[in-house]
Amino acid sequence: MKKIYLCAMALSVGSLSFGQSLTQKSFSSEKHQRTADSGIKASNNVSINSKAPGDVIYSEDFNGQATLPAGWSEVDNTGNGAPWVVEPAGTLPDADFTTGQTTIASTSGGNCMLYYSDGYQSPPPPSGYYDVDAYFQTGAIPLNNVNGVSVNFQQSFRNCCANSGVVAVLMASTDPAFPVGPNTESYDIIGGVATNVASADPMDVSVNISSIAAGVTGDIYLRWHIGAGIEAYYWMIDDIEVVESVTNDITTQNGFYGFFGVQYTSIPYEHVQDMDVSMQYNNIGTADQTNSSLNVDINDGSSSIFTMSSTPATIASLEADTITMDAIWTPSVLPSDWNTPYTVTLDISSADSTDASPANNQIVFNPFVISQNIMALDDFSTTPGNGGSNPGPGGVTEYEAGNQFDIIVNDDLMAIDVVTGTNTPVGTFVDVVIYLMDLNVNPTTYTEVWRSQGYQVTAGDLGVVKSFIPTTPIALTGGETYFAAVHSFVDYEFGISGLNPPAGTPSARHSGIAYPSMSNPNASSTFGYTNTPMIRLNFDLTTDVDLTNETTEFSVFPNPSKGIFTINLDADAAKTANISVKNVVGQTILNKTVNVAGKT
């Protein structure tokens, strides 16, 4: 039985932004994990990364506002002078854990609402870091008996240090005092983003508040409250709209395709498994959506080769859930089908109605391939970006960055392929390492399996694949998880292409950064990375066989091979033949003179 487990690595946004593993402590060991019960009830009718369509009832983008709009208010419950403020567009002042952070990239640009908790706690207060607790609140927003009401806004945030017991909510009420009771509702707006990582910038949010606001003739009030369990970093809100909900509107998010929980872009044919798919939905319309299904389409670049739909069902108004379809399709492993680009498209829709915003019902993934020998998670860009590490605690510049891989069958690793970013200075020293991960323990442990010799980067390495080849193949065990990484002391920037799957999907968040000079370099100090390093596993360095005697016929089998192969020679007379065997990067594996007489 396979014993592969998924590592819940955190996500961050931006090639130089870091987020800590969910199971670990933060940069600062004195920051405590808060677990106090917030008393806030999670609500299903929150849609992340989509905006509800509909007639706009009220809007505010804060442009032209030096302070809060008239009738609005803010309250700081910390007693530490840490309020929400109207922040002009630009770069935030550097703080202990926030460097070079710009204000939210909202649609309107300009000013936004900011809670700069890291700035408020830098340097650390004498009594230690404190939980934030502050809100800002709108003035009265008049309604006139509409059937459904949604609140759209954009946000950008990074919170610390736990998701248990946190308060990060939009509240809606018909009473400006927001009393606990039927006239007040709270909606979780974290959207599945893990702790210590940056959200999307901007993250579009739509909240259906019809349970409070539908049918109201009078005023409603909105409050954004950031409270217990969120100690550091920042939270920004902009482009607030109150809109009349439409009748038919399903939104989707966190679509996923994968193979035993991993969203590979290249899978060696021997490691192929059945494909699973899933997608979250939210009916933010006012009508139930009958005959609704998750629909899957797989295209091979020229035509659709597989389609499937889940059993039709009714999605009630304000219902949010996930549709999962397991083991629906197995890619071909025939050599003729290797490197075929398969594009997966998912959508959730009702066959009985026309959706008001069909664009947010669908996701189209970047293609993946079944390969002869390469296991990869990056998108194989020919113009890769540059990724590197911000200095760690105490100004540490040494780091390791890499990807997590699940090995399905026993296999011999022939090389670790790395693309070096073009911003890396020529002459920079690196080495490459692979670890066996034990995900049965907390924190995860990493056991070094192999490490290359040190290597000095040349101009010819920039932006292209460099294979780090062990002297003998590395035996990887099926059912285990490994972490392959590049190790740098300073200045190195690895190539990046593609993103980790978003928080909330069933996939392992596969890319990470570690600081080897710390106490346990790959467990207690491992941070998630949004962009995917171009670091791959290579299970079959293709050989090139050259017989210099052109009158001698030859064949090689099996072809392709995994490094063990037979050369058949056939000469019409006794002679000698010089055989040179080189791997794909030009290294000579065998140089031999043999006597040939007939079939040899």
Side-chain angles (χ1 to χ4, degrees):
M1 178 178 293
K2 296 190 320 138
K3 59 189 186 84
I4 295 173
Y5 304 90
L6 301 183
C7 177
M9 299 183 73
L11 285 167
S12 61
V13 171
S15 62
L16 294 178
S17 179
F18 298 87
Q20 192 176 17
S21 171
L22 290 174
T23 59
Q24 314 304 335
K25 294 180 181 178
S26 67
F27 282 125
S28 181
S29 60
E30 65 266 33
K31 287 194 172 187
H32 300 291
Q33 300 268 342
R34 307 292 185 177
T35 58
D37 183 7
S38 68
I40 297 297
K41 178 179 68 175
S43 180
N44 284 334
N45 41 336
V46 178
S47 180
I48 304 299
N49 297 327
S50 63
K51 288 185 177 181
D55 294 335
V56 176
I57 300 170
Y58 175 86
S59 66
E60 177 59 67
D61 63 13
F62 306 105
N63 288 341
Q65 298 281 350
T67 58
L68 286 173
W72 290 42
S73 60
E74 62 81 15
V75 173
D76 169 25
N77 291 318
T78 68
N80 294 290
W84 282 89
V85 297
V86 176
E87 181 73 11
T91 302
L92 304 184
D94 287 350
D96 283 356
F97 305 124
T98 306
T99 303
Q101 177 63 47
T102 57
T103 50
I104 183 173
S106 58
T107 301
S108 67
N111 300 349
C112 66
M113 292 300 301
L114 167 69
Y115 194 87
Y116 196 15
S117 41
D118 191 13
Y120 294 142
Q121 305 203 67
S122 299
S127 58
Y129 295 104
Y130 55 84
D131 267 345
V132 303
D133 186 357
Y135 65 80
F136 70 91
Q137 178 175 319
T138 68
I141 300 173
L143 297 180
N144 186 20
N145 191 26
V146 293
N147 291 328
V149 182
S150 295
V151 179
N152 297 332
F153 62 93
Q154 294 182 315
Q155 64 178 348
S156 174
F157 66 88
R158 183 179 174 193
N159 71 300
C160 169
C161 291
N163 270 344
S164 174
V166 304
V167 176
V169 294
L170 168 67
M171 303 176 71
S173 182
T174 56
D175 187 328
F178 285 78
V180 175
N183 294 328
T184 300
E185 184 72 78
S186 296
Y187 309 88
D188 180 8
I189 59 173
I190 290 178
V193 178
T195 55
N196 288 299
V197 301
S199 71
D201 182 18
M203 174 189 282
D204 291 330
V205 182
S206 183
V207 182
N208 192 314
I209 63 169
S210 296
S211 60
I212 294 296
V216 169
T217 299
D219 296 331
I220 63 165
Y221 303 83
L222 304 175
R223 175 185 290 182
W224 281 261
H225 186 187
I226 307 302
I230 302 175
E231 295 172 343
Y233 311 122
Y234 56 87
W235 209 293
M236 290 175 273
I237 304 289
D238 202 1
D239 289 7
I240 297 169
E241 292 181 336
V242 179
V243 301
E244 183 174 357
S245 301
V246 296
T247 304
N248 304 310
D249 193 15
I250 295 175
T251 67
T252 62
Q253 62 193 52
N254 294 338
F256 167 77
Y257 81 85
F259 302 88
F260 202 74
V262 183
Q263 198 166 295
Y264 291 112
T265 55
S266 179
I267 314 165
Y269 68 96
E270 293 183 316
H271 295 263
V272 165
Q273 293 186 300
D274 296 336
M275 175 187 283
D276 304 326
V277 298
S278 68
M279 186 176 252
Q280 295 177 6
Y281 67 81
N282 189 358
N283 180 6
I284 61 175
T286 59
D288 296 349
Q289 298 300 296
T290 57
N291 205 17
S292 298
S293 300
L294 169 61
N295 307 299
V296 185
D297 179 85
I298 300 174
N299 190 291
D300 68 357
S302 59
S303 63
S304 176
I305 60 171
F306 177 85
T307 59
M308 188 175 185
S309 297
S310 63
T311 302
T314 296
I315 300 176
S317 176
L318 306 187
E319 178 183 328
D321 208 336
T322 300
I323 300 177
T324 299
M325 300 165 65
D326 292 328
I328 62 169
W329 178 68
T330 305
S332 169
V333 297
L334 296 175
S336 59
D337 293 321
W338 292 348
N339 299 316
T340 296
Y342 297 115
T343 299
V344 179
T345 300
L346 303 180
D347 80 85
I348 297 177
S349 58
S350 167
D352 296 337
S353 62
T354 300
D355 199 275
S357 53
N360 59 27
N361 291 51
Q362 182 184 87
I363 182 170
V364 180
F365 297 94
N366 288 329
F368 75 92
V369 300
I370 305 303
S371 67
Q372 176 185 349
N373 60 319
I374 298 296
M375 183 175 286
L377 297 154
D378 68 89
D379 288 342
F380 288 82
S381 172
T382 57
T383 55
N386 289 270
S389 172
N390 282 338
V396 171
T397 58
E398 181 185 8
Y399 72 90
E400 291 180 343
N403 295 321
Q404 170 186 326
F405 299 92
D406 288 342
I407 304 303
I408 304 306
V409 297
N410 293 344
D411 212 343
D412 289 335
L413 181 64
M414 308 303 291
I416 297 176
D417 293 347
V418 177
V419 175
T420 294
T422 54
N423 288 349
T424 297
V426 172
T428 300
F429 280 93
V430 296
D431 58 68
V432 167
V433 61
I434 185 167
Y435 296 95
L436 172 66
M437 302 173 65
D438 187 351
L439 302 172
N440 290 308
V441 297
N442 187 13
T444 298
T445 60
Y446 292 70
T447 302
E448 186 173 310
V449 175
W450 173 78
R451 185 179 293 272
S452 74
Q453 295 181 339
Y455 178 76
Q456 191 170 19
V457 174
T458 69
D461 296 323
L462 303 183
V464 300
V465 175
K466 161 73 177 173
S467 294
F468 289 81
I469 305 170
T471 54
T472 59
I474 302 167
L476 301 186
T477 303
E480 299 289 356
T481 299
Y482 293 83
F483 186 73
V486 62
H487 172 213
S488 168
F489 286 91
V490 67
D491 288 341
Y492 183 79
E493 295 193 29
F494 45 88
I496 54 174
S497 175
L499 302 174
N500 264 292
T505 66
S507 176
R509 267 74 73 190
H510 47 240
S511 303
I513 296 275
Y515 293 95
S517 61
M518 300 176 68
S519 58
N520 188 340
N522 292 287
S524 63
S525 305
T526 300
F527 294 80
Y529 198 75
T530 294
N531 302 93
T532 303
M534 301 179 77
I535 299 173
R536 310 160 187 157
L537 302 186
N538 190 332
F539 292 97
D540 184 11
L541 286 173
T542 304
T543 56
D544 175 23
V545 182
D546 174 27
L547 257 64
T548 57
N549 188 337
E550 62 182 20
T551 64
T552 302
E553 297 180 353
F554 72 97
S555 61
V556 180
F557 70 91
N559 187 14
S561 78
K562 300 188 74 62
I564 300 175
F565 53 91
T566 299
I567 303 174
N568 281 342
L569 308 172
D570 190 358
D572 54 6
K575 59 185 68 178
T576 60
N578 295 320
I579 301 176
S580 176
V581 180
K582 297 181 179 181
N583 64 28
V584 72
V585 294
Q587 295 173 318
T588 298
I589 296 174
L590 175 69
N591 203 351
K592 188 176 180 67
T593 299
V594 297
N595 295 317
V596 181
K599 295 183 184 297
T600 302

